[in-house]
Amino acid sequence: CCAAVTASMTPMLGLRYADTRDTIKDSRFILCWGNNPAVTMHAYWKNYAEAQKNGARIVVIDPRFNETAAKADEWIPIVPGTDIALALGMIKIIVEEQRYDAPFLRAHTGAVYLVDEQQKLLRQNPDDPDSYLVFDTLSKTLVRHDSAGIVPALLNEELPPDSPYSTVMSEIYRQAKPWTLAKVSAETDIPEHTIIRLTHDYTTTTPSMIVQNMSGAQRTEFGTYVAASQFYLALITGNIGKRGAGVCDAGGARQMAKFSPIIPPAPNVKKIPPIPVSKIGEWVVKGKPNPIKFWWNMTMGAMTQLPNTNMVREAFKKVPFVVVADNLMTSSALYADLVLPVTTIFEDVSLMAGVRSHYVQLMEKAVEPPGEAKPDYWIFARLAERFGFGEVFNKPIEHYIDTCLEGSGITREMLAKGPVRPVEGDWIPFKDGEFRTTTKKANLFIEEWQKKNFSPVVTWMQVSESVKGSPALAQKYPLFAVQRKLARSVHSSHGMNPWILEVQRDKPNVMIHPEDARRRGIQHGEWVTVFNHRGEHRAIADVTTHIKKGVVSLENGWWEQQGGSSSHVTNDQVDLLSNGHCCNSTLVDVRREA
């Protein structure tokens, strides 16, 4: 789901995601919304500490008092799945109190584009997708948005009284207007005075930064709107494109320099209908969109990271031949017909030029691989030879490294001397309000959403698997489950590392509020089972006020081998208990073990 959410930001900003880590230290207000950078960005936590030392306030919005909240200035607990309501409530205050940055919105965003009565963006030329029309308040005429010397109308009040059109900004406000303080508070369980103060702090204690980092808040049904609503706040207030501001997510070298494909595109390839990542188990079992006869699983822990583990297990069993290529006997490998041992990053030469690191690095071979372990590309080359196009894949790895580096201005010879950063100085995404879209402006009205029958501007959507969204289901499973990452693993990687297990606990916990525990006769430290209609999860009860009442927090990354039988798999709720739409929208209950 995180890939789908972050990819949906591309039509808005021109990038799938962007990372502001270099200037965290310059921020004066850091809003960690549904994430926990003290654990998930621990390599950069020193930047947060430096920001606090410089006078910044750190505020955490999360149903769990997480490790970041322990270091923050304020913790704001929230009902899971209600983040859109909070953002819309904040936008309502910002618009009505005129806390928005009108010059920035006019110059650098599509907030001024006009929308007709059919909810279509107006264009000067239908054949020119960038010819958006605005209403110039000086000449009182409709003109192209990029015309010189204009002052476009931002809100409908600036349009002629009889105008059949609306501005995008007014369409956003139309969605926010119903979200009064009382309504937001009732939905989120955040006090009204806290909502007011949070909004005022974000808009006045600047530069302000929202830390998103593919958060748990957006790993839910309608998570695209959650992520977009946070970008709305940054764009509407002009808190983006400058030091200490923006929305902090993943991002790295591939956003800073141009790299080339390592192999040419295949000619005349028929488009293969994709399977949504969060639906792999369900769709493979149902034969959607086509029956799968062969499954190659690599660089992914399907049995520890995909939603609805029981369905993924059934999918593995249904496919006639399953290959798992990995360097460990993972939970997925337990269900493979063939396990191919592959090398680790220390056992072969490779290139790191990704979207998570600011450096391009030559990954050098440190040791010989054990046994028959081979690199993934070597295995592909042998397969390609058997299929008759081996010449594309069977060149030395150095050839593919050089090919990838073409256009970047970086050479393998440069990397042999050490890692290279494609840019000098601190990286500031969308610096000075220049976005990566074709117009160089941020889009707030997303036509791609509209084509999928969703609102083209952020709107409130009730998460279906929630107490309010599914009252009947909530009678059986009244607790909302959220997940947490642990310092012991990266997703499920390192989950069986014996050195880590020596210093970290080797059994999963579930955080539960004392009142919820008392109702179920659960004592701190005893084994319990978290369950719903999709499966069960065993864990040790951590009875604590560090979790919001009505919510339980389970842990990501536990392997099946660490939990026992297939009927009592110890995995996180992302895998076993979640509904397949998402990772963090799950109703459950908890019982004591007999």
Side-chain angles (χ1 to χ4, degrees), residues 396-419:
I397 188 62
E398 289 76 12
H399 166 82
Y400 298 109
I401 292 174
D402 293 341
T403 302
C404 183
L405 291 173
E406 287 180 7
S408 68
I410 301 170
T411 65
R412 188 157 42 93
E413 289 70 27
M414 294 167 61
L415 296 177
K417 299 175 183 178

Side-chain angles (χ1 to χ4, degrees), residues 510-539:
V510 53
M511 296 174 70
I512 184 170
H513 191 275
E515 188 171 324
D516 294 322
R518 185 165 52 250
R519 289 177 179 174
R520 292 160 177 79
I522 293 171
Q523 301 295 318
H524 179 77
E526 67 181 358
W527 281 96
V528 297
T529 299
V530 187
F531 65 95
N532 63 13
H533 50 298
R534 283 181 289 268
E536 297 182 347
H537 163 61
R538 296 179 68 242

Side-chain angles (χ1 to χ4, degrees), residues 496-508:
M496 291 287 278
N497 188 323
W499 291 357
I500 291 177
L501 294 179
E502 286 181 8
V503 296
Q504 297 275 348
R505 55 182 167 83
D506 61 353
K507 295 179 177 62

